[in-house]
Amino acid sequence: MSVRNQSSEQSAGTLHRAGFACFVGRPNAGKSTLTNALVGKKVAITSNRPQTTRHTVRGIVHRPDAQLILVDTPGLHKPRTLLGERLNDVVRTTWAEVDVIGFCLPADQKIGPGDRFIAKELAGIKKTPKVAVVTKTDLVDGKALAEQLIAIDQLGKELGIEWAEIIPVSAVGDQQVELLADLLVPMLPEGPALYPEGDLTDEPEQVMVAELIREAALEGVRDELPHSIAVMVEEMLPREDRPADRPLLDIHANIYIERPSQKGIIIGPKGRRLKDVGIKSRKQIEALLGTPVFLDLHVKVAKDWQRDPKQLRKLGF
């Protein structure tokens, strides 16, 4: 078992590599937080609620020796709705197209049926190298971490998966994140950079803005709501007649829920919750776009949209 737990030296020479890596794992395994830590900026929404990633977000890590493009997929899970089935299809398509797969397993949770479900799928993908990434190591002591490393090694042996590496990391504590990048880079093909130097993601701005609004809307809502929230940015336009040194971007967005009874939860007493969502997301959007923003939010009902192919299409799934 090859467990990496020390700094590695960069290989000599001027060889440049560029390619795609994707993080997989059951919902809430720390994939989005890890993507953001590697990129050094927020490109994927994070939430303490499982199954919040719906789009394949690419985060781009620029290094002198390589360009590592991270594909952050939704968590693979046993689907209960048409949306769930479509999210799983996104995951499988992505796995077939990347150069290396990072399987995220949280250090603070024993390997469960969800992890085995994914590991069995991974066992069927023969050619792509697989790295076991033990996330959230800041939440456990050394003994618990050692037990998890042994369990992951054992899981690989059981299913015939040969881990290229097993690496413990903490994205929150910034431990071994750089080392993870050092280990992934040699698995990428040689070649020039695929994206311009300043790019951190290829996700369209409107999609990222919608995701930031959805992240703010997910905070503090009841357990039944996470899957029921979708956000569509209807319009993003610079305000006319503004002086060049005081620009303002008008953003009009709709928050969709599935049932009229959920509307009150999102809006809150006297509209306080929705106002709070607006304030939180506006700060994040302004940081992302680097410009002041006027954010206009409306809550609308799209009845049972997770099960309706027409509505799923409209909402971008």
Side-chain angles (χ1 to χ4, degrees):
M1 166 168 89
S2 158
V3 177
R4 293 304 186 109
N5 209 9
Q6 70 282 330
S7 62
S8 70
E9 290 177 27
Q10 199 173 316
S11 55
T14 54
L15 192 70
H16 190 277
R17 293 179 182 274
F20 295 84
C22 92
F23 292 134
V24 302
R26 62 186 154 84
N28 212 17
K31 303 180 294 292
S32 297
T33 309
L34 192 53
T35 297
N36 291 337
L38 280 159
V39 176
K41 192 170 176 184
K42 187 167 191 157
V43 292
I45 84 159
T46 56
S47 163
N48 58 4
R49 304 212 166 276
Q51 202 51 41
T52 47
T53 304
R54 287 186 187 154
H55 295 274
T56 306
V57 178
R58 289 185 174 85
I60 303 162
V61 182
H62 301 272
R63 295 164 48 119
D65 61 330
Q67 191 175 73
L68 173 65
I69 299 137
L70 299 165
V71 184
D72 181 43
T73 58
L76 194 77
H77 61 297
K78 290 203 164 98
R80 289 192 298 272
T81 63
L82 182 59
L83 171 65
E85 284 170 26
R86 291 204 177 165
L87 293 178
N88 277 357
D89 290 344
V90 168
V91 180
R92 292 193 185 98
T93 306
T94 305
W95 291 3
E97 293 168 352
V98 295
D99 302 297
V100 55
I101 296 169
F103 182 21
C104 295
L105 297 122
D108 64 328
Q109 293 162 40
K110 285 196 162 36
I111 292 171
D115 301 310
R116 285 182 178 281
F117 174 68
I118 293 164
K120 278 179 187 158
E121 295 253 347
L122 285 178
I125 301 164
K126 297 296 180 198
K127 289 182 181 161
T128 315
K130 295 157 206 72
V131 173
V133 185
V134 188
T135 58
K136 308 186 185 187
T137 57
D138 52 299
L139 300 178
V140 297
D141 60 18
K143 182 173 175 285
L145 179 57
E147 284 169 6
Q148 187 72 323
L149 293 169
I150 292 163
I152 289 165
D153 184 48
Q154 201 53 46
L155 178 70
K157 288 192 174 114
E158 261 175 57
L159 297 173
I161 301 170
E162 196 173 321
W163 304 118
E165 302 281 357
I166 299 176
I167 174 166
V169 301
S170 166
V172 173
D174 196 23
Q175 290 160 345
Q176 305 226 121
V177 173
E178 199 57 40
L179 174 59
L180 174 61
D182 291 345
L183 295 176
L184 293 174
V185 162
M187 300 179 202
L188 306 178
E190 291 173 34
L194 301 169
Y195 289 90
E197 179 62 40
D199 287 10
L200 295 177
T201 179
D202 68 354
E203 190 76 279
E205 280 182 349
Q206 262 176 260
V207 173
M208 290 189 74
V209 166
E211 288 287 272
L212 289 172
I213 295 166
R214 192 163 69 89
E215 179 178 42
L218 277 170
E219 267 181 46
V221 295
R222 284 190 218 152
D223 289 347
E224 72 268 19
L225 267 191
H227 304 283
S228 302
I229 297 174
V231 177
M232 279 287 283
V233 173
E234 301 295 331
E235 207 171 53
M236 264 172 64
L237 291 170
R239 177 85 56 94
E240 287 179 13
D241 308 326
R242 294 282 292 192
D245 59 340
R246 286 181 55 232
L248 185 68
L249 188 67
D250 283 317
I251 299 177
H252 299 279
N254 291 328
I255 299 173
Y256 289 97
I257 36 88
E258 293 194 291
R259 295 189 297 281
S261 59
Q262 296 170 335
K263 212 168 176 175
I265 299 171
I266 295 289
I267 294 170
K270 296 186 177 168
R272 278 200 295 271
R273 213 171 164 275
L274 187 62
K275 191 179 175 188
D276 203 35
V277 169
I279 291 166
K280 276 186 185 147
S281 55
R282 196 185 76 238
K283 277 187 190 155
Q284 299 267 15
I285 294 163
E286 288 180 341
L288 173 76
L289 302 177
T291 183
V293 161
F294 171 78
L295 182 60
D296 176 41
L297 292 179
H298 293 273
V299 181
K300 297 194 169 185
V301 179
K303 198 170 175 330
D304 292 331
W305 66 263
Q306 291 188 75
R307 291 175 170 78
D308 179 345
K310 201 169 148 197
Q311 305 227 55
L312 280 172
R313 267 199 307 280
K314 187 191 164 196
L315 295 170
F317 297 108

